[in-house]
């Protein structure tokens, strides 16, 4: 991480974006680090966050505009300077509450202080931003020239065209646009209430008293949607009365539906949210084995279970793709939240959209291997849940259907929940604009007795 301490919201945002490029840091982790280093809260923290997420969410569109205002090819611009230009253009073109002079002057100051820029580079940045500011003022921004709807959505919402075309084929053009738009919208923090320690009503009152804006999820009683503060810094979080978890992840635990006294195996458990939700549904009785391949992630799970008072959660260092003979047919419930492309959580981690598609090609084979391995742990009459945080059919329905074709001792298990209604085939693809959740997939299967 950058050693300098940011002093302003724009510096905190710039340092976050620098770290993402130079150190492959995730946006949320880097932003939290620099907000804490700068001591920013309230409106200043909100501005820094909006600058980070807005710049990343709109990077392709900002680069398109930049090519029209810059006399220098983007590949010739130093990385930090390019980042500052994107952030400046974002303020000028896509935010309407920041005066143009402030956006230009503050961006030029960032380049001068933190980009090792000479006077010529500083003058270049100033000129580019002033040309853009003038175009905005005169309502003369260049029109987006795209040959079809998919390419327009890809540019307008800064999503890779291959992904937009895939979504358009899978969900239809209108839904593809709605997904892209939802990915770029402001997203409240989803908080799940620990009903062993409080009620949703009491938790909402406590969070509101701490200054947050709180709204209940429209279809998930234990989920509160919060904005205006850092939930993880509040006493309600520290005391385990609430935890940060999206409704989609909590829904996977609800679909698994473990009962008190059950033996549950969470095969790819980190960071632990689904293990915690299942342990609560079990009222602290029975056992939840939370597995992960990394020891440091198990430490986080143990800390979370302790914080929430869940003594029935135990951790095990285990590769979900490797067989464990003593577990065969021993679990009442097995949950496999497998490694995936993550393309359902773009609204939370906007940089995921820029993944190299070639790196995703082998995921279905790995997912199928994990599902086959972990299925053997389900006892006759038990439940198997497969889930991902992606909405690509090739990682979801295709994997499950191939598994069912090969394993006739398993069948789809119908289930229902207010978030998604009745699922007679056991499967649901959750979409942000439809369900007020992350993009997510859940399949519930039953092992015949």
């Amino acid at each position: 991480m950058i050693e300098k301490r940011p002093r302003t919201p724009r510096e905190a945002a710039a340092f976050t974006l620098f770290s993402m490029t130079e150190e492959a840091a995730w946006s949320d982790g880097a932003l939290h680090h620099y907000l804490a280093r700068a001591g920013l809260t309230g409106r200043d923290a909100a501005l820094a966050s909006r600058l980070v997420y807005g710049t990343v969410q709109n990077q392709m569109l900002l680069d398109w505009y930049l090519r029209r205002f810059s006399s220098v090819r983007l590949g010739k611009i130093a990385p930090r300077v390019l980042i500052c230009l994107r952030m400046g253009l974002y303020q000028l073109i896509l935010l309407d509450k920041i005066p143009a002079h402030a956006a230009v002057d503050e961006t030029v100051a960032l380049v001068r202080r933190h980009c090792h820029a000479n006077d010529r580079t500083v003058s270049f940045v100033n000129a580019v931003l002033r040309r853009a500011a003038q175009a905005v003022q005169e309502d003369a921004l260049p029109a987006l020239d795209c040959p079809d709807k998919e390419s327009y959505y890809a540019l307008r919402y800064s999503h890779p065209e291959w992904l937009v075309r895939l979504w358009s084929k899978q969900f239809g053009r209108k839904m593809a646009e709605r997904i892209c738009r939802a990915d770029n919208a402001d997203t409240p923090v989803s908080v799940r209430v620990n009903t062993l320690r409080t009620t949703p009503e009491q938790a909402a009152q406590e969070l509101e008293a701490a200054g947050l804006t709180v709204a209940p999820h429209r279809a998930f009683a234990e989920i509160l949607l919060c904005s205006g503060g850092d939930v993880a810094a509040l006493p309600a979080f520290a005391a385990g009365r609430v935890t940060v978890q999206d409704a989609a992840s909590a829904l996977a635990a609800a679909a698994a539906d473990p009962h008190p006294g059950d033996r549950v195996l969470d095969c790819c458990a980190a960071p632990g949210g689904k293990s915690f939700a299942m342990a609560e549904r079990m009222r602290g009785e029975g056992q939840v084995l939370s597995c992960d391949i990394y020891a440091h992630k198990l430490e986080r799970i143990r800390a979370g279970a302790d914080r929430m008072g869940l003594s029935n959660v135990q951790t095990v260092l285990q590769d979900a793709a490797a067989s464990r003979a003593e577990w065969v047919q021993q679990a009442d419930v097995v949950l496999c939240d497998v490694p995936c492309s993550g393309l359902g959580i773009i609204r939370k981690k906007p940089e995921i959209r820029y993944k190299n598609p070639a790196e995703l090609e082998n995921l279905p084979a790995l997912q199928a291997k994990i599902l086959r391995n972990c299925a053997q742990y389900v006892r006759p009459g038990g439940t198997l849940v497969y889930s991902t945080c992606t909405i690509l059919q090739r990682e979801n329905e295709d994997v499950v259907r191939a598994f069912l074709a090969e394993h006739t001792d398993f069948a789809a298990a119908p289930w229902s929940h207010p978030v998604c209604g009745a699922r007679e085939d056991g499967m649901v693809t959750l979409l942000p604009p439809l369900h007020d959740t992350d993009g997510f997939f859940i399949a519930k299967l039953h092992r015949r007795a």
Side-chain angles (χ1 to χ4, degrees):
M1 292 291 186
I2 297 168
E3 292 299 324
K4 291 181 181 178
R5 184 185 300 274
R7 298 171 296 175
T8 67
R10 287 181 175 83
E11 283 192 341
F15 287 12
T16 298
L17 295 168
F18 294 164
S19 291
M20 291 173 65
T21 297
E22 296 166 8
E23 304 161 26
W26 285 109
S27 55
D28 53 353
L31 177 61
H32 183 78
H33 171 80
Y34 290 116
L35 289 179
R37 289 265 296 165
L40 298 179
T41 59
R43 294 178 63 180
D44 285 343
L47 174 58
S49 300
R50 182 85 308 269
L51 293 178
V52 169
Y53 289 120
T55 300
V56 178
Q57 288 166 344
N58 295 282
Q59 180 175 310
M60 295 168 63
L61 178 62
L62 296 171
D63 284 355
W64 187 88
Y65 281 121
L66 185 53
R67 291 186 185 96
R68 279 134 186 93
F69 294 121
S70 172
S71 58
V72 179
R73 294 202 313 270
L74 268 61
K76 295 291 186 179
I77 301 174
R80 285 195 177 190
V81 175
L82 179 59
I83 287 168
C84 290
L85 279 167
R86 287 169 178 159
M87 195 167 75
L89 284 180
Y90 172 66
Q91 296 170 74
L92 290 169
I93 297 173
L94 297 174
L95 291 183
D96 56 7
K97 294 184 179 180
I98 295 181
H101 67 85
V104 174
D105 293 347
E106 293 292 338
T107 302
V108 169
L110 286 174
V111 171
R112 192 187 303 276
R113 292 191 197 114
H114 304 297
C115 298
H116 312 292
N118 56 30
D119 289 342
R120 182 177 179 181
T121 299
V122 172
S123 296
F124 160 73
V125 170
N126 184 65
V128 169
L129 295 178
R130 291 196 179 279
R131 281 195 288 271
Q134 183 177 0
V136 172
Q137 183 179 8
E138 296 174 355
D139 197 21
L141 284 172
L144 306 184
D145 48 353
C146 303
D148 59 22
K149 290 286 188 180
E150 283 81 4
S151 59
Y152 173 78
Y153 299 152
L155 179 57
R156 172 63 185 84
Y157 301 109
S158 292
H159 282 62
E161 191 169 323
W162 69 266
L163 182 57
V164 176
R165 293 193 182 280
L166 195 58
W167 285 346
S168 182
K169 181 179 180 180
Q170 187 172 330
F171 302 111
R173 274 182 171 176
K174 290 184 178 179
M175 182 54 66
E177 182 190 15
R178 290 182 65 188
I179 295 169
C180 290
R181 188 165 64 244
D183 283 345
N184 284 10
D186 285 339
T187 303
V189 176
S190 180
V191 171
R192 186 177 58 76
V193 178
N194 180 356
T195 55
L196 297 180
R197 292 194 163 176
T198 189
T199 66
E201 295 75 18
Q202 290 169 337
Q205 292 174 4
E206 181 177 3
L207 295 174
E208 287 174 343
L212 273 64
T213 300
V214 181
H217 189 280
R218 61 177 178 80
F220 205 134
E222 293 82 22
I223 298 294
L224 304 175
L225 303 178
C226 304
S227 57
D230 183 1
V231 174
L234 298 178
F237 181 89
R241 291 187 287 276
V242 301
T243 193
V244 176
Q245 184 179 24
D246 190 78
S249 172
L251 187 60
D257 192 25
H259 296 88
D262 277 354
R263 179 179 170 88
V264 175
L265 183 59
D266 190 350
C267 297
C268 308
K274 288 179 284 296
S275 287
F276 304 154
M278 290 189 291
E280 290 169 35
R281 294 179 74 87
M282 296 160 65
R283 314 307 294 175
E285 300 175 19
Q287 182 187 59
V288 178
L289 286 180
S290 298
C291 306
D292 201 83
I293 196 171
Y294 298 109
H296 71 277
K297 292 187 177 182
L298 295 180
E299 292 176 5
R300 288 184 59 191
I301 294 174
R302 286 192 291 270
D306 289 344
R307 177 175 59 82
M308 301 183 73
L310 301 171
S311 59
N312 58 332
V313 174
Q314 299 178 20
T315 58
V316 180
L317 188 68
Q318 178 66 25
D319 183 349
S323 181
R324 190 90 171 227
E326 67 269 29
W327 290 355
V328 172
Q329 296 194 12
Q330 296 300 304
D332 298 289
V333 176
V334 172
L335 192 152
C336 295
D337 187 64
V338 298
C340 70
S341 60
L343 294 170
I345 57 171
I346 290 175
R347 65 182 192 154
K348 300 284 183 61
K349 293 186 175 180
E351 61 269 37
I352 285 177
R353 73 188 75 191
Y354 304 118
K355 281 185 174 181
N356 182 349
E359 297 175 359
L360 311 179
E361 291 179 359
N362 295 326
L363 282 170
L366 173 62
Q367 293 157 346
K369 180 179 180 181
I370 291 174
L371 182 57
R372 286 194 302 269
N373 180 62
C374 295
Q376 67 179 324
Y377 303 141
V378 182
R379 67 163 175 81
T383 297
L384 173 63
V385 172
Y386 173 91
S387 64
T388 73
C389 56
T390 187
I391 57 176
L392 299 188
Q393 180 177 318
R394 67 192 186 204
E395 299 181 54
N396 295 337
E397 293 95 335
D398 290 354
V399 172
V400 173
R401 288 171 181 150
F403 171 83
L404 289 173
E406 296 173 358
H407 297 77
T408 56
D409 55 334
F410 282 88
W415 58 285
S416 180
H417 192 279
V419 169
C420 58
R423 314 310 305 180
E424 294 302 321
D425 66 353
M427 293 186 276
V428 63
T429 298
L430 301 170
L431 301 176
L434 289 185
H435 302 102
D436 290 336
T437 67
D438 286 340
F440 212 84
F441 175 79
I442 302 168
K444 182 175 183 177
L445 311 178
H446 170 77
R447 187 168 198 171
R448 294 186 173 93

